[in-house]
Amino acid sequence: MLALLAAFFVSCLLFLSRQCARDMRLFLASLCQELALSVLGFLAGYRLLGGVAAADTMPFMPSFKRKRAAATVENDEEAAGSGEPSVLDLPELAIDCILESLPPAELRSMAAVCRSMRERCRGDHLWERHMSEKWGRVLGPAAREEWRAYLASASAGGEACCASSGGGKRRRWLAALSCVCPVVSWMRPRADSGSGGKSSGPALDDSIMSWYLSMESGKFWFPAQVYNREHGHVGFMMSCYDAELSYDFHTDTFRARYPPHGRRTVVLEDRVQWDRVRAPPVETLAHDLHASDCLHELRPGDHIEIQWRRNKEFPYGWWYGVVGHLESCDGNEHFCRCHLSDTVVLEFNQYTPGSRWRQALVNRKDHREEGNEGDGFYGGIRKLRSKDDISKWRQLWPTDILE
């Protein structure tokens, strides 16, 4: 009792410090509760034993550690000691088979059972399949690099926040007071706590589980590409542009953030469907010219994507087209020599015949960026070799021919 009164006196002095005011209010509330429980317990024991001190029959202070241990299983030793059947009693192979069959939500729940299960459920081998099945088609190498940068930024931000808020000093005086009163140890900040003492979810780390959950929560913005941007605006039909995306689990869609260009600010688009998102097929940045490595093999009928931008200030987008025949060729495959010419005809048949956007000519030998301020600039070319890529563009074909 004397120790509690001494701690109460010290805490009242510290309460005057503005820096410690918030934590001391929590401490005083808990301490008052302890004092009340201790006094009631002492009086009750004194009455039951007819005025004899009950130190040997009744604990002076309730043991909250034992209550917490009884409420939650902290480790597998406690689970085994309870005498009840546990999943941890199964053979190692059986446990692994069970965990491998669980969906992400249940796997995450299993990680909260005990310390041993937490380590098992966080294994990368369990989350690789879930990561690939849900996010594989929209994540490329650039997204992985962005995730590493995100982790580094979050780590640096957490350290800076802790230093600026005096977190180190708070931990030191809380540790000192815990020697006087055990209740102080409950007030130590958790590693996964955010501002206001509320949990901010699992701590970020370089595990695949952490990446998956950050994607699912929508907190992580990753680089990808969006077909027919800005809700299918007519000026972007049959194109694919770079964007930053985050997932919205409420609607099972994405939010897209397009970078500013020209006089335009950042453009946001909501409810982007899965079928309009893809991982960047090449690592070329939006303002860089792609090195064309397929010009020598292009023939009429080949499907291509070509970089195009309105002017030098705009980023490139990838536009779908096909290789056509020269004007001098009648299109007869037995007599066609278009593949031997230095000029390659590119056709964009989504536009009406006679439109200035319908056709473009590029030089096969030394093609770089070609064009002007009126018709835009044509950049690098990549040949589509996958049937899935070609089929995807056909699915996006507009119902009406564009002018």
Side-chain angles (χ1 to χ4, degrees):
M1 182 71 71
L2 293 178
L4 286 173
L5 292 175
F8 183 77
F9 177 73
V10 172
S11 64
C12 290
L13 294 179
L14 290 175
F15 184 76
L16 299 177
S17 171
R18 180 175 300 178
Q19 179 180 2
C20 301
R22 175 181 172 275
D23 288 316
M24 287 308 303
R25 284 195 295 269
L26 296 176
F27 168 69
L28 287 174
S30 300
L31 188 59
C32 290
Q33 182 181 9
E34 281 298 304
L35 285 170
L37 290 174
S38 299
V39 171
L40 291 175
F42 179 81
L43 293 176
Y46 186 85
R47 181 179 180 182
L48 288 173
L49 297 179
V52 180
D56 295 333
T57 59
M58 180 179 294
F60 184 69
M61 180 180 292
S63 176
F64 283 85
K65 289 185 178 180
R66 284 197 296 271
K67 292 182 179 180
R68 295 175 63 192
T72 58
V73 180
E74 287 294 330
N75 50 50
D76 51 346
E77 288 82 2
E78 294 176 6
S82 65
E84 298 180 358
S86 169
V87 68
L88 296 175
D89 298 331
L90 295 174
E92 297 286 328
L93 181 59
I95 296 177
D96 289 340
C97 290
I98 292 174
L99 296 181
E100 289 176 359
S101 65
L102 294 179
E106 295 183 10
L107 191 60
R108 184 183 181 185
S109 298
M110 285 293 292
V113 171
C114 65
R115 187 175 303 162
S116 175
M117 193 60 69
R118 178 167 64 246
E119 296 303 320
R120 290 175 179 270
C121 294
R122 292 181 65 86
D124 285 350
H125 68 285
L126 295 175
W127 288 91
E128 283 177 349
R129 177 175 61 87
H130 298 305
M131 196 73 182
S132 177
E133 288 180 353
K134 182 160 188 177
W135 309 109
R137 53 182 167 148
V138 299
L139 296 178
R144 181 171 292 276
E145 293 299 321
E146 186 66 24
W147 169 245
R148 291 171 181 165
Y150 180 76
L151 286 177
S153 175
S155 176
E159 293 175 0
C161 179
C162 182
S164 63
S165 62
K169 294 182 179 179
R170 279 201 300 274
R171 282 193 294 270
R172 285 194 292 272
W173 70 257
L174 284 173
L177 285 178
S178 65
C179 298
V180 180
C181 180
V183 72
V184 179
S185 63
W186 309 341
M187 298 167 56
R188 294 182 183 178
R190 294 168 54 90
D192 59 347
S193 295
S195 61
K198 295 181 180 180
S199 175
S200 58
L204 290 176
D205 54 45
D206 59 355
S207 67
I208 298 179
M209 174 183 175
S210 180
W211 190 8
Y212 184 100
L213 296 179
S214 294
M215 291 281 296
E216 190 83 11
S217 68
K219 296 180 179 179
F220 175 58
W221 290 78
F222 62 95
Q225 293 183 345
V226 179
Y227 293 99
N228 296 350
R229 58 176 281 183
E230 299 180 33
H231 303 283
H233 187 285
V234 65
F236 297 104
M237 292 296 291
M238 300 303 290
S239 69
C240 198
Y241 274 80
D242 284 11
E244 290 183 328
L245 282 80
S246 71
Y247 180 67
D248 183 356
F249 64 90
H250 295 293
T251 60
D252 191 29
T253 59
F254 296 92
R255 293 178 292 266
R257 185 166 60 195
Y258 302 103
H261 54 268
R263 298 180 180 179
R264 301 187 67 182
T265 59
V266 175
V267 177
L268 298 175
E269 181 181 356
D270 294 322
R271 296 182 178 273
V272 178
Q273 301 292 331
W274 280 86
D275 59 359
R276 291 180 52 209
V277 179
R278 75 175 183 183
V282 295
E283 297 184 12
T284 307
L285 300 179
H287 286 274
D288 295 341
L289 181 69
H290 177 68
S292 306
D293 58 357
C294 61
L295 293 174
H296 65 283
E297 59 178 295
L298 291 180
R299 307 173 68 95
D302 286 342
H303 301 260
I304 59 96
E305 289 181 11
I306 185 170
Q307 289 178 309
W308 183 87
R309 59 180 174 179
R310 169 69 70 177
N311 57 49
K312 298 289 186 177
E313 296 180 352
F314 279 52
Y316 284 115
W318 289 98
W319 293 74
Y320 171 74
V322 295
V323 179
H325 293 273
L326 295 170
E327 188 175 353
S328 58
C329 179
D330 60 2
N332 189 316
E333 60 179 352
H334 299 290
F335 301 100
C336 177
R337 296 293 182 268
C338 295
H339 60 284
L340 302 176
S341 173
D342 291 342
T343 301
V344 180
V345 178
L346 303 178
E347 296 180 345
F348 306 95
N349 296 322
Q350 62 268 32
Y351 293 99
T352 184
S355 170
R356 61 174 177 166
W357 312 112
R358 173 83 175 193
Q359 191 178 88
L361 305 178
V362 299
N363 189 289
R364 190 188 299 269
K365 288 186 175 181
D366 55 359
H367 171 66
R368 297 287 293 173
E369 184 180 60
E370 302 180 20
N372 52 63
E373 293 291 338
D375 297 332
F377 296 88
Y378 295 89
I381 301 174
R382 56 181 295 264
K383 180 179 177 180
L384 301 182
R385 307 176 188 277
S386 168
K387 293 182 179 180
D388 291 337
D389 290 342
I390 298 172
S391 175
K392 182 62 185 178
W393 284 111
R394 288 175 173 170
Q395 293 174 15
L396 297 169
W397 198 263
T399 56
D400 299 320
I401 299 297
L402 307 177
E403 295 293 335

